Amino acid sequence: MIAYVTIEEGSARQFPAERPNWPKGQPWGHQLVEAHINNLLQWFAKGIVGQLKVDPVSTRIYDKDSALWLEKEEILKQKIFALEEDIKVSRSEAVSLATLFKESLNSLASAKNKIEKIDSINESLRTNNAKLSLSLKSESERTVDLHSNVDLLSAGQDVLRWRLKLKGFFVYILATVILGTLLMPLFFPDISRDLLNSWYGGMLKLRSIFE
């Protein structure tokens, strides 16, 4: 059973430091509290049978503790409010970070697609360059062959020119011989007659060999 007893102001059972006759400003300590509790136990033991456990609470200390608790409660409420505001800000920042993260993922995916396209273009360029190199190599070989053919044609043209010149020279000599033969009887009739007789005699001898 718990019994609450109210001690009147200024009575002998009041805590000494709260009595009107207590010197103002005089300090008190734990020993005074212990002595006051023992006095209360002795006083209550005279009229109450049982084990007593006295826990006196001073009105002034109670009010002071209540004010302190109220102050602590207000401070806790302010801290809780500040924490709730921080939580709201943190949630807002978390939403912003989630949005930025999503945008970053989209940007990363877009960049990855662009890189894949660039790699594909580069691969296509490498393939085209390889084909172009083969084509240029083939054209270069054709150019070399063409130069070789041109050189051969040039050499052939030189040979042909030389042959034409030689044929022209033979034709010129033949024409000169024929023209000289035709004109010789006019300018040298005796010599022409002797040559014709010699030629005719030779032909007869040649004929007699085959008969």
Side-chain angles (χ1 to χ4, degrees), residues 42-56:
Q42 292 175 4
W43 179 63
F44 289 136
K46 293 178 181 180
I48 300 175
V49 178
Q51 186 178 0
L52 297 176
K53 183 177 181 181
V54 178
D55 188 9

Side-chain angles (χ1 to χ4, degrees), residues 85-123:
E85 293 296 322
D86 290 340
I87 291 172
K88 290 180 181 179
V89 174
S90 299
R91 287 178 179 175
S92 178
E93 291 178 351
V95 172
S96 299
L97 289 174
T99 303
L100 290 175
F101 180 72
K102 186 177 181 180
E103 292 177 354
S104 299
L105 288 178
N106 293 332
S107 299
L108 182 62
S110 178
K112 185 178 180 181
N113 291 332
K114 290 181 180 179
I115 291 173
E116 290 177 353
K117 290 181 180 179
I118 292 173
D119 291 339
S120 178
I121 293 172
N122 289 333
E123 184 65 25

Side-chain angles (χ1 to χ4, degrees), residues 122 124-134:
N122 289 333
S124 178
L125 288 174
R126 283 193 290 269
T127 303
N128 292 333
N129 286 334
K131 291 181 180 179
L132 183 61
S133 298
L134 292 175

Side-chain angles (χ1 to χ4, degrees), residues 8-142:
E8 295 181 356
E9 185 73 20
S11 66
R13 306 307 172 193
Q14 187 178 8
F15 185 63
E18 293 183 344
R19 297 173 188 174
N21 59 355
W22 182 265
K24 187 175 182 181
Q26 181 178 349
W28 54 272
H30 181 68
Q31 292 179 354
L32 182 62
V33 175
E34 291 293 333
H36 179 62
I37 292 174
N38 290 329
N39 290 332
L40 289 176
L41 286 173
Q42 292 175 4
W43 179 63
F44 289 136
K46 293 178 181 180
I48 300 175
V49 178
Q51 186 178 0
L52 297 176
K53 183 177 181 181
V54 178
D55 188 9
V57 177
S58 170
T59 305
R60 184 174 60 184
I61 295 175
Y62 176 79
D63 293 339
K64 184 178 179 181
D65 290 341
S66 297
L68 183 61
W69 279 108
L70 290 174
E71 183 180 355
K72 290 182 179 180
E73 184 179 4
E74 184 65 25
I75 293 173
L76 288 174
K77 287 181 179 179
Q78 292 177 0
K79 289 183 178 180
I80 292 172
F81 179 78
L83 288 174
E84 289 177 349
E85 293 296 322
D86 290 340
I87 291 172
K88 290 180 181 179
V89 174
S90 299
R91 287 178 179 175
S92 178
E93 291 178 351
V95 172
S96 299
L97 289 174
T99 303
L100 290 175
F101 180 72
K102 186 177 181 180
E103 292 177 354
S104 299
L105 288 178
N106 293 332
S107 299
L108 182 62
S110 178
K112 185 178 180 181
N113 291 332
K114 290 181 180 179
I115 291 173
E116 290 177 353
K117 290 181 180 179
I118 292 173
D119 291 339
S120 178
I121 293 172
N122 289 333
E123 184 65 25
S124 178
L125 288 174
R126 283 193 290 269
T127 303
N128 292 333
N129 286 334
K131 291 181 180 179
L132 183 61
S133 298
L134 292 175
S135 179
L136 289 175
K137 184 177 180 181
S138 178
E139 290 295 329
S140 177
E141 292 176 354
R142 290 180 182 178

